[in-house]
């Protein structure tokens, strides 16, 4: 392992600072705006929702990232998604970015924006601008500022999500930090949430984008909570080069070192989001090994964690292996059920319940004990190749319906 986890989040990397404030966008008596800022210009990379209905902020950020121009800041609000808002939604994005330009003397075209919350409501622009003004005077590079920012972007999340790691490239210490939010409307089709990563690494933009795209495929694209792909999914990575490492210009060993650290950070945040699914009591993991192809392994593992019947079984601690095999069967991947072995795993033990087309007799009490853990894995050996993939989700509880039945209130 070439990286080490350290304390902090988006402010851990050199040159990055953060701020948050109560802007009363929708919520009262809680922070609901955050800003991440680097005075030094950054190269950027991003991935975005595949939903055809894209929020105004998603379209704004896509244009910034694809332009290749330097990026300095990201401003995020929670409470209102700025999706399905027409020209007024784009005007809100521009007004927010221009407020940063006025306060921090960076081009408004270097300011990304992101929103999360209720779809179909217009943002109160005056409150956004006021929030930017407050945060611009309160920017700090402390870990606490980063933690506060990670809390400000929460909606139905029950915990904030942040992480930082350090690694060495060219004899220089490099730091990668990040924060994310996501609890509902989560399904693999990009990264299904908001995530903001910062690094002081020196790397060419094209390689930064390549690393992000490759890592997302096996991290954020492998989580699901409810089968709904959001209109606002955004992942942005900003790198300002202040670590002073030789700039990475080819996919060499330095690039692989960076990508390994990036994978760890994204996997950590993805798992945190899956375990914090709306109403969830457990992290539900599906690991498929020895599949014919990587794509088959991804399809099969995502089908297992995405099935409502499977999720209900995990909640009820019911070792009903037929539900998981059924989900695999309709996933679209081709396989022979007579090759399959299926296990339940957790910190409480491991048990095979199905082997080569035949159900196995097993101790129901022992199975119950395994499935009572707060993290449960369905492990499937396909015996048809050497590819593998892991997907993450959560159990389906009564509280999921309660949370989403009155989300606008």
């Amino acid at each position: 392992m070439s990286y080490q986890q350290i304390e902090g989040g988006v402010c851990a990397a050199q040159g990055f600072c953060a701020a948050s404030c109560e802007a009363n966008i929708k919520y009262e008596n809680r922070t609901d705006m955050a800003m991440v800022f680097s005075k030094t210009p950054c190269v950027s990379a991003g991935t975005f929702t595949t939903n055809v209905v894209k929020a105004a902020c998603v379209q704004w950020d896509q244009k910034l990232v694809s332009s290749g121009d330097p990026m300095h800041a990201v401003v995020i609000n929670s409470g209102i998604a700025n999706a399905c808002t027409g020209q007024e939604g784009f005007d809100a994005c521009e007004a927010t970015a221009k407020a940063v330009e006025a306060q921090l003397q960076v081009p408004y075209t270097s300011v990304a924006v992101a929103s999360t919350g209720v779809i179909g409501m217009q943002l109160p622009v005056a409150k956004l601008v006021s929030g930017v003004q407050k945060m611009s005077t309160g920017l700090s590079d402390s870990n606490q500022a980063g933690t506060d920012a990670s809390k400000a972007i929460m909606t139905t999340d029950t915990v904030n999500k942040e992480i930082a790691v350090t690694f060495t490239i060219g004899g220089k210490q490099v730091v990668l930090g990040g924060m994310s939010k996501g609890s509902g409307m989560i399904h693999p089709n990009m990264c299904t949430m908001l995530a903001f990563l910062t690094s002081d690494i020196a790397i060419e933009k094209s390689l930064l984008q390549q690393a992000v795209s490759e890592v997302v495929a096996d991290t954020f694209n492998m989580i699901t909570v409810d089968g709904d792909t959001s209109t606002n999914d955004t992942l942005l990575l900003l790198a300002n080069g202040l670590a002073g490492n030789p700039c990475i210009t080819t996919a060499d060993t330095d690039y692989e070192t960076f990508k390994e650290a990036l994978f760890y950070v994204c996997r950590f945040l993805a798992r945190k989001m899956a375990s914090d699914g709306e109403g969830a009591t457990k992290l539900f993991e599906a690991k498929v090994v020895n599949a014919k192809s990587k794509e088959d392994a991804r399809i099969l593992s995502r089908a297992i964690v995405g099935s409502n019947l499977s999720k209900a079984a995990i909640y009820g601690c019911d070792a009903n292996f037929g539900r998981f095999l059924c989900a695999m069967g309709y996933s679209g991947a081709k396989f022979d059920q007579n090759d399959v072995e299926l296990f339940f795993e957790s910190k409480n033990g491991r048990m095979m319940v199905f082997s080569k087309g035949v159900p196995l007799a097993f101790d129901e009490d022992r199975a119950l004990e395994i499935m009572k853990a707060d993290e449960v894995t369905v492990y499937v050996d396909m015996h048809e190749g050497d590819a593998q993939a892991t997907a993450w989700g959560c159990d389906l509880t009564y509280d999921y319906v309660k949370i989403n039945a009155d989300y606008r209130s």
Side-chain angles (χ1 to χ4, degrees):
M1 189 169 69
S2 59
Y3 53 84
Q4 178 181 353
Q5 188 170 338
I6 59 174
E7 184 180 354
V10 291
C11 292
Q14 293 184 67
F16 286 96
C17 50
S20 54
C21 73
E22 293 184 22
N24 297 313
I25 301 298
K26 177 175 180 284
Y27 306 118
E28 293 184 358
N29 302 315
R30 57 157 287 186
T31 55
D32 58 358
M33 280 189 76
M35 180 191 295
V36 179
F37 178 73
S38 171
K39 186 174 182 179
T40 303
C42 304
V43 294
S44 65
T47 55
F48 304 91
T49 184
T50 57
N51 195 320
V52 173
V53 180
K54 292 177 171 59
C57 47
V58 169
Q59 297 176 63
W60 176 275
D61 292 348
Q62 284 181 310
K63 184 177 180 180
L64 293 189
V65 171
S66 64
S67 74
D69 293 338
M71 194 175 291
H72 282 276
V74 184
V75 177
I76 312 106
N77 77 270
S78 58
I80 296 177
N82 197 13
C84 304
T85 49
Q87 184 59 47
E88 191 172 338
F90 290 103
D91 292 344
C93 295
E94 184 172 319
T96 304
K98 286 187 173 179
V100 175
E101 179 181 64
Q103 292 296 312
L104 297 174
Q105 289 74 56
V106 296
Y108 79 92
T109 52
S110 70
V111 179
V113 293
S115 301
T116 178
V118 177
I119 294 171
M121 292 177 65
Q122 297 291 355
L123 282 167
V125 174
K127 291 182 178 180
L128 289 172
V129 172
S130 177
V132 168
Q133 292 169 346
K134 292 177 186 177
M135 292 188 294
S136 296
T137 60
L139 287 166
S140 168
D141 62 1
S142 69
N143 282 335
Q144 187 60 52
T147 297
D148 290 344
S150 71
K151 293 178 179 179
I153 66 175
M154 293 165 56
T155 50
T156 56
D157 306 65
T158 65
V159 295
N160 65 307
K161 304 159 183 74
E162 65 174 347
I163 185 176
V165 298
T166 184
F167 49 98
T168 302
I169 290 182
K172 301 292 185 179
Q173 181 179 357
V174 180
V175 176
L176 171 66
M179 65 179 184
S180 69
K181 68 82 53 186
S183 190
M185 199 176 277
I186 290 181
H187 188 62
N189 248 333
M190 183 295 296
C191 42
T192 55
M193 42 81 220
L194 298 183
F196 308 99
L197 309 178
T198 58
S199 182
D200 46 25
I201 193 169
I203 184 172
E204 279 193 351
K205 179 180 174 64
S206 61
L207 286 172
L208 187 67
Q209 184 63 60
Q210 179 179 319
V212 167
S213 298
E214 290 175 353
V215 164
V216 161
D218 282 314
T219 56
F220 292 119
N221 265 2
M222 296 301 290
I223 62 174
T224 185
V225 168
D226 48 21
D228 280 303
T229 300
S230 169
T231 56
N232 287 57
D233 302 341
T234 299
L235 180 151
L236 293 172
L237 196 165
L238 277 60
N240 61 18
L242 290 181
N245 63 284
C247 185
I248 298 175
T249 58
T250 60
D252 55 14
T253 55
D254 287 343
Y255 172 82
E256 292 300 327
T257 297
F258 168 64
K259 198 169 81 167
E260 182 184 357
L262 180 62
F263 179 86
Y264 179 80
V265 166
C266 291
R267 181 179 181 272
F268 177 93
L269 293 173
R271 283 172 55 87
K272 282 286 188 183
M273 289 167 51
S275 65
D276 193 31
E278 289 172 340
T281 66
K282 301 178 186 181
L283 177 68
F284 173 20
E285 178 180 79
K287 186 169 186 178
V288 173
V289 302
N290 298 320
K292 289 178 183 176
S293 68
K294 182 72 169 179
E295 188 56 28
D296 274 359
R298 286 172 175 158
I299 290 171
L300 290 163
S301 58
R302 288 188 298 201
I304 292 170
V305 298
S307 160
N308 281 340
L309 288 176
S310 295
K311 290 155 63 70
I314 294 296
Y315 174 62
C317 301
D318 180 10
N320 185 351
F321 61 84
R323 291 185 174 181
F324 308 101
L325 290 166
C326 177
M328 293 167 59
Y330 63 64
S331 68
K334 302 299 181 183
F335 63 94
D336 186 342
Q337 63 181 309
N338 295 314
D339 292 330
V340 175
E341 291 179 335
L342 190 146
F343 304 75
F344 292 116
E345 296 180 347
S346 75
K347 63 184 179 183
N348 297 335
R350 188 174 199 258
M351 175 181 287
M352 182 189 290
V353 294
F354 182 85
S355 178
K356 305 298 181 71
V358 179
L360 302 180
F362 61 88
D363 184 332
E364 290 283 358
D365 291 337
R366 179 65 179 140
L368 178 62
E369 184 64 23
I370 291 171
M371 298 187 74
K372 278 183 175 179
D374 55 7
E375 296 186 9
V376 179
T377 298
V378 172
Y379 182 98
V380 184
D381 192 333
M382 304 301 294
H383 290 287
E384 293 185 336
D386 59 6
Q388 66 179 37
T390 303
W392 301 277
C394 61
D395 55 349
L396 179 61
T397 72
Y398 305 109
D399 285 341
Y400 177 82
V401 176
K402 292 179 182 177
I403 290 167
N404 284 282
D406 61 357
Y407 182 62
R408 289 197 305 157
S409 63

